[in-house]
Amino acid sequence: MHLPLRRLLTTVTHKPVPCRKMGATGVTPDKPTVTHKPVPCRKMGATGVTPDKLASYWGNVFFERGIPEPHDSSRILVAHALGAKTLHSIGSRAARSPLSADQLLLVQNMAQERLKRVPVQYIIGEWDFLDMTLEMRPPVLIPRPETEELVGLVVADCEALRHSTDASVLEVGCGSGAVSLALLRRIPQVHVIAIDKSEAAVSLTRDNAERLGLQHRIHVFQHDILTDPVERLQDLGPFSAVVSNPPYIFTEDMTRLEPEVLRYEDHSALDGGLDGMAVMKGILHLAPLLLKARGDVFLEGDPRHPEMVKNWLEDHPEGLLRLLQIVKDFCGKTRFIHLRSGRDAANATTSHMTGRRLPPYLSSMPPVL
């Protein structure tokens, strides 16, 4: 799993970055832990260092040490030290001006963290998701670009959310709050219940809701759908939609993730069990008890999961969930699963569109700068 940085550097157009969420890197527990000696910035001197020169220096250091996306990482860290998101946005005067001693020290300290493979998102303490800047804190899962497409799918294809005046969404596994808060910004009449089994995730979602002024339209609390009573959720429902980017990595694939993920992100937000479907099955079991008639379920998963979900539905017809569509992500991988509850959904299986691609909705949304 890799965390693309280039989207933060794009100021004019949105260019999809490679899907690396499941990418293998050959990292195994048997390999020695990477260690490094602190890299002093002696070559740069204490004065006269411009932002571009400093970014180039650390980009070369990162490259030599095998840090992914080395120059993107260095430019983001230098921009952050200057109070900006990108070096392009600091202005011509600042670009020509040398950094202060304090700024040089800040960049050096952040660079040392990056050399330990700490994700840039955790180092700078924030990250952009669609048109929002969210606070990031370890070990809460960092939102991936694919999950932006999950939001677009819900907005585009959940009729109940668009047309109802009392629409409500249950998000299972809210993490940083990215999905819930993006839906609140795009659908003014919706109210969200966001749950996560992690106390750290619940706290971060609450903080991000307040940061965006959305705290009055979202209720966030700690809840594990696999072990906690369903009655609490039923008391807050029924819901127009259940949305989730659950832990879906197969346990056997966990050791193949990159150090940024293995060392610093919450494994319980990634590991979906032997078949990657532990939480997903819990959602499928509970959805009929929580949804309104013709309510929708939207899931993000591994490309192997759509076929597994179809088999699960055949084995559990009593749940009255019907598969509507399987949607590919921007890399062409089957990523999203859309289901509907109730007997009225039975006819919807004829509209199942395996391999459908998402429309380019991102181009109509505010740019991520």
Side-chain angles (χ1 to χ4, degrees), residues 193-214:
I193 303 296
I195 62 172
D196 202 294
K197 65 181 180 181
S198 163
E199 183 179 354
V202 168
S203 175
L204 184 56
T205 293
R206 286 174 177 160
D207 289 348
N208 278 323
E210 292 186 11
R211 179 181 183 133
L212 297 170
L214 297 170

Side-chain angles (χ1 to χ4, degrees), residues 38-349:
V39 179
C41 198
R42 297 191 188 99
K43 293 182 181 179
M44 304 303 297
T47 60
V49 182
T50 63
D52 281 336
K53 189 176 181 181
L54 186 62
S56 177
Y57 169 80
W58 281 113
N60 291 334
V61 171
F62 292 159
F63 177 80
E64 293 170 359
R65 298 300 183 91
I67 302 299
E69 297 182 317
H71 294 285
D72 289 344
S73 293
S74 65
R75 292 177 70 83
I76 291 172
L77 297 183
V78 173
H80 183 71
L82 296 172
K85 289 188 177 181
T86 71
L87 289 184
H88 294 295
S89 66
I90 65 175
S92 58
R93 174 179 292 185
R96 295 191 302 268
S97 301
L99 281 78
S100 69
D102 287 343
Q103 290 170 330
L104 286 172
L105 180 60
L106 175 58
V107 172
Q108 175 153 324
N109 289 339
M110 291 191 293
Q112 302 300 339
E113 292 299 297
R114 188 70 189 103
L115 287 169
K116 298 174 187 175
R117 302 299 290 266
V118 179
V120 167
Q121 294 89 338
Y122 290 156
I123 295 173
I124 66 175
E126 63 181 29
W127 200 242
D128 283 353
F129 184 86
L130 294 173
D131 59 339
M132 307 178 297
T133 299
L134 302 175
E135 182 179 351
M136 293 288 120
R137 294 196 297 258
V140 180
L141 190 70
I142 299 165
R144 271 62 172 177
E146 296 93 328
T147 306
E148 294 183 348
E149 296 186 274
L150 175 63
V151 174
L153 179 64
V154 175
V155 172
D157 288 6
C158 188
E159 298 177 3
L161 295 185
R162 296 199 311 271
H163 303 303
S164 174
T165 57
D166 62 345
S168 59
V169 172
L170 171 65
E171 186 188 7
V172 178
C174 56
S176 64
V179 171
S180 288
L181 299 174
L183 290 174
L184 289 175
R185 285 171 70 92
R186 280 156 181 75
I187 310 174
Q189 70 274 18
V190 78
H191 182 83
V192 171
I193 303 296
I195 62 172
D196 202 294
K197 65 181 180 181
S198 163
E199 183 179 354
V202 168
S203 175
L204 184 56
T205 293
R206 286 174 177 160
D207 289 348
N208 278 323
E210 292 186 11
R211 179 181 183 133
L212 297 170
L214 297 170
Q215 67 272 23
H216 301 299
R217 295 171 54 205
I218 184 171
H219 179 37
V220 190
F221 59 93
Q222 192 172 1
H223 186 93
D224 186 340
I225 66 164
L226 299 182
T227 59
D228 292 335
V230 67
E231 286 78 14
R232 184 175 186 185
L233 299 178
Q234 287 179 304
D235 289 343
L236 296 169
F239 301 97
S240 308
V242 174
V243 181
S244 184
N245 173 22
Y248 63 70
I249 297 177
F250 290 56
T251 297
E252 66 180 7
D253 293 332
M254 286 292 295
T255 56
R256 300 162 59 194
L257 300 177
E258 296 193 23
E260 284 83 352
V261 180
L262 279 175
R263 297 179 191 173
Y264 298 103
E265 292 193 272
D266 183 359
H267 287 197
S268 70
L270 296 161
D271 189 343
L274 294 179
D275 60 359
M277 285 187 59
V279 176
M280 199 176 293
K281 289 175 184 176
I283 294 171
L284 295 174
H285 272 296
L286 295 180
L289 303 175
L290 300 173
L291 288 168
K292 297 178 181 179
R294 293 179 56 81
D296 290 305
V297 178
F298 295 91
L299 301 172
E300 180 177 332
D302 182 272
R304 293 167 284 185
H305 281 143
E307 191 64 31
M308 296 168 69
V309 168
K310 285 193 287 185
N311 294 336
W312 188 93
L313 293 173
E314 291 174 0
D315 293 337
H316 299 82
E318 71 281 358
L320 297 178
L321 284 176
R322 299 292 181 267
L323 181 64
L324 290 188
Q325 58 181 333
I326 297 168
V327 181
K328 291 184 177 181
D329 62 21
F330 55 71
C331 296
K333 296 183 179 180
T334 51
R335 182 69 63 191
F336 309 105
I337 303 167
H338 180 191
L339 308 102
R340 182 162 291 165
S341 70
R343 295 185 182 278
D344 289 341
N347 296 329
T349 54

Side-chain angles (χ1 to χ4, degrees), residues 25-47:
T25 63
V27 177
T28 69
D30 297 329
K31 291 190 177 181
T33 301
V34 177
T35 60
H36 75 279
K37 295 179 180 179
V39 179
C41 198
R42 297 191 188 99
K43 293 182 181 179
M44 304 303 297
T47 60

